[in-house]
Amino acid sequence: EDGVDAGGVTKEFFQLLAVQLFDINTGMWSTRVGGDEQVTWFNSDCSWNEDGYYLVGILVGLALYNGVLLDVHFPSAVYRKLMALPLALEDMVDKEVRSGLQQLLDYDGDDVEDIFCLTFEVMWMEMGNQRKLELKP
């Protein structure tokens, strides 16, 4: 006799899968504080698992197709990108960075580097080495 799955088994499958897929210990994700809650973000040091991100995309798509909402807390920027909406300053997760960028945008002088002690370069760690890229040569 055929049983009727009212979404219970399917929902439980995707929820259990989401716990494993979005586990911080996989190295694919990091946790950031956004407002009053923690949000899941892509780990910038994870350059070895592009297939893993592809798999996560497929499984999240399948869950949504099957009407299952997953308990994943991405920042609003991710959802705006998925809907092809433009990103804005309000989408910044870090309030201090958002405030600093707003101050920079509001400043009218020509001496930005001297006043804000900023240069147009970005630094990051990659495989234990510090890298630097000049954004505006």
Side-chain angles (χ1 to χ4, degrees):
E1 167 180 343
D2 290 334
V4 176
D5 177 20
V9 175
T10 305
K11 182 176 181 179
E12 183 181 8
F13 169 75
F14 281 113
Q15 286 175 340
L16 292 173
L17 188 61
V19 169
Q20 296 296 319
L21 286 175
F22 293 101
D23 185 7
I24 301 298
N25 295 321
T26 63
M28 293 173 55
W29 313 102
S30 64
T31 302
R32 308 273 170 96
V33 176
D36 297 332
E37 66 177 331
Q38 288 188 343
V39 293
T40 302
W41 193 247
F42 305 94
N43 183 359
S44 60
D45 292 332
C46 181
S47 58
W48 66 87
N49 203 355
E50 290 182 22
D51 291 336
Y53 289 119
Y54 183 76
L55 174 66
V56 167
I58 289 174
L59 292 172
V60 168
L62 279 171
L64 292 175
Y65 179 77
N66 285 292
V68 177
L69 298 177
L70 300 177
D71 188 26
V72 180
H73 302 276
F74 283 121
S76 63
V78 172
Y79 300 110
R80 290 181 64 86
K81 288 299 284 183
L82 288 174
M83 295 186 300
L85 296 173
L87 296 178
L89 198 56
E90 302 84 43
D91 296 316
M92 294 287 299
V93 173
D94 190 333
K95 289 180 182 180
E96 291 178 11
V97 172
R98 180 176 48 225
S99 173
L101 288 174
Q102 188 61 55
Q103 289 175 354
L104 189 60
L105 286 171
D106 294 340
Y107 186 71
D108 290 330
D110 290 335
D111 53 350
V112 171
E113 188 172 343
D114 297 330
I115 298 297
F116 289 95
C117 298
L118 295 174
T119 58
F120 289 100
E121 61 187 20
V122 64
M123 292 188 297
W124 72 96
M125 295 297 289
E126 183 177 285
M127 305 298 278
N129 298 321
Q130 185 175 7
R131 305 265 317 226
K132 180 168 67 170
L133 176 67
E134 192 173 347
L135 298 175
K136 187 176 179 183

